[in-house]
Amino acid sequence: MAQIAHAISAALLHFVWEGLVVAFILWLTLSMLSNSLARLRYVLSCAAMALMMVLPFITAWIAYRASDGAATISSPIVAIPDGGPATFSAVPLFYRWIAVFEAWAVPVWSAGVVIFAIRLFWSYQYIARLRRESDPAEALLVRTVSHLARRMNIARPLRVVTSKLIDSPSVVGWLRPVILIPFASFMNLSASQLEAVLAHELAHIRRHDYLVNLLQSVAEMLFFYQPAIWWVSSRIRHERELCCDDLAVEVCGDPVGYARALTQLERLRVIKPEIAVGSTSGPLMYRIQRLTGVAGQRSASKLSVVLAVCFAIICFATNLHWAQAQGGGEGEISRDSIWVDTVKQGDLPVQIRAPGTVTTPTSVDLKVASVQASHVQIGEAASIELRQGLIAVGKVVRIDSPADGVVPVMVELAEPAAEFVNKSVDCIIRIKTLNKVVYLGRPAMVEAKSEGILFKLDPDGEHATRVKVRFGETSVNSIQILDGLKLGDKVILSDTSEYDRFERLRLK
């Protein structure tokens, strides 16, 4: 037993430097492959994780095979002699510290494994609760998932359920996977966006990501003390989401709409069990930039961020005036991290989007947000997306009193749609059309009939200056400009709230 304990403690201590070496090699490799396919980076990250999981067992076997019970590989791990204090004092101080660490390694490691095992068990219990308290999905949603599964060559049996306990779509299970859809998704996503999100979840199933994620959780439980394990695991999860994004876009063909769906889901997300995989995992901003084609490079690794922060702290301590100068009147922003649109002039259809249900062959009940319902009038035209590619037209015939933040609205269809009764649909109501107005793509965090600050690109194309803008009516993706901008101006639409203290930005 003493030899086994020594072998385990030796393996645990050696893994501190072994794991760091593997993580450093992976970091260098990913840096060189930053513009390569996400699939390749994912495979390399998984290979690094597999190697890190194997190394401690190899080290323990080598230590155990040593005839004298001491580590035979080149390391200062030593056994405390039995000769008492006098003998122990003859050992160099560094070796004595290592011996103390070795003596405590197994007990501390065992306690940590128990704590993280309880954490993993809680995740399983939560997933079991999700399975128990979920409801069968509507037939239309099940058919959509089945159609996508056939297109993605997924032959395994799977279930689709809805749940009030989650805030973003997720996949649980490996042999018999279950797709969990939150009720809120039906209220906030259009039919095409929901289809893209479902394709992302099916991509997780096709790639067996739940199994890999489970193995990652086991690795994090066994080697919780090694930061390299957590970093490599985070890289796997990041590249996994990029791979699934690629598959979802390949199936649905609308990267911009999918990016908007991810943004909407992130606003709803609160908590998700650790071992579940879902659409909103990973750094969201980079994923959205990548989908819309504006991400020029991968986000910096955690190691790079740590080194950069340390360097910044040293510079700040060395020259306080230099640090203060960074908060001047001009900031810097990467061109690859922003969305830019040009101010246009023309007819702007003012529309609102709302989910609903076909209640009879000729009527659809919608739920319009209260803040938008005041614009809806009886007799206005409406477009109903019964399924992808099939649009029905109708008009608003009834508007009820608001309840729970929504206003029930009834739309009468021009032609019967009996086969879609009791099915969930997506509706666009055209309130009116503004003729010959100046408008722009809707910036982040901007509401109708308000005032805000935007950064307008200077004529040199290298800088952007703060301007105060007055907004008018808004549509789904566009907004009217009343004052502050003119035709042809180029404006940053991305969220620039972190640059509020700057009057001018330099694009780098």
Side-chain angles (χ1 to χ4, degrees), residues 34-57:
S34 59
N35 295 322
S36 301
L37 292 175
R39 188 180 308 170
L40 174 60
R41 297 194 300 269
Y42 176 81
V43 170
L44 292 174
S45 300
C46 289
M49 176 64 78
L51 178 60
M52 294 173 75
M53 293 184 67
V54 170
L55 280 175
F57 293 94

Side-chain angles (χ1 to χ4, degrees), residues 444-445 453 455 466 494-502:
M445 313 304 290
I453 300 296
F455 280 95
R466 285 168 59 97
S494 310
D495 182 10
T496 55
S497 56
E498 61 180 296
Y499 300 96
D500 285 346
R501 66 185 185 277
F502 297 110

Side-chain angles (χ1 to χ4, degrees), residues 403-424:
D404 297 329
V406 297
V407 176
V409 174
M410 176 180 285
V411 172
E412 184 180 82
L413 300 178
E415 296 183 1
E419 65 273 25
F420 295 98
V421 173
N422 297 326
K423 306 302 180 184
S424 297

Side-chain angles (χ1 to χ4, degrees), residues 73-241:
I73 55 179
S74 57
S75 170
I77 296 181
V78 297
I80 300 178
D82 295 327
T87 308
F88 183 76
S89 62
V91 181
L93 180 62
F94 178 74
Y95 281 15
R96 277 187 279 163
W97 275 108
I98 293 297
V100 172
F101 290 149
E102 182 182 359
W104 281 95
V106 174
V108 173
W109 172 75
S110 300
V113 170
V114 170
I115 293 173
F116 280 83
I118 294 173
R119 175 173 173 259
L120 189 60
F121 177 76
W122 178 89
S123 297
Y124 266 108
Q125 290 295 102
Y126 186 75
I127 286 180
R129 180 189 173 194
L130 292 180
R131 289 175 180 265
R132 286 194 311 268
E133 300 183 17
S134 61
D135 299 317
E138 296 183 358
L140 179 60
L141 182 59
V142 174
R143 286 198 299 270
T144 300
V145 171
S146 300
H147 175 68
L148 288 172
R150 287 193 297 270
R151 290 173 58 185
M152 299 176 70
N153 298 320
I154 299 175
R156 282 184 293 165
L158 52 90
R159 293 174 55 211
V160 185
V161 298
T162 57
S163 174
K164 296 179 181 179
L165 301 177
I166 60 173
D167 297 285
S168 63
S170 306
V171 171
V172 296
W174 173 48
L175 296 177
R176 298 185 65 84
V178 177
I179 300 178
L180 301 169
I181 306 296
F183 285 104
S185 295
F186 297 106
M187 298 290 296
N188 294 276
L189 297 180
S190 66
S192 58
Q193 290 175 337
L194 184 59
E195 183 177 4
V197 170
L198 291 173
H200 180 101
E201 303 305 324
L202 288 170
H204 281 303
I205 296 175
R206 173 180 169 179
R207 291 164 35 82
H208 305 281
D209 285 339
Y210 186 87
L211 176 62
V212 178
N213 197 48
L214 178 60
L215 295 176
Q216 287 177 245
S217 298
V218 173
E220 293 167 355
M221 177 187 69
L222 294 176
F223 308 111
F224 61 91
Y225 64 94
Q226 173 56 276
I229 280 284
W230 295 93
W231 180 80
V232 174
S233 188
S234 70
R235 297 312 309 166
I236 292 175
R237 291 189 172 97
H238 177 68
E239 301 299 345
R240 170 190 301 148
E241 296 307 314

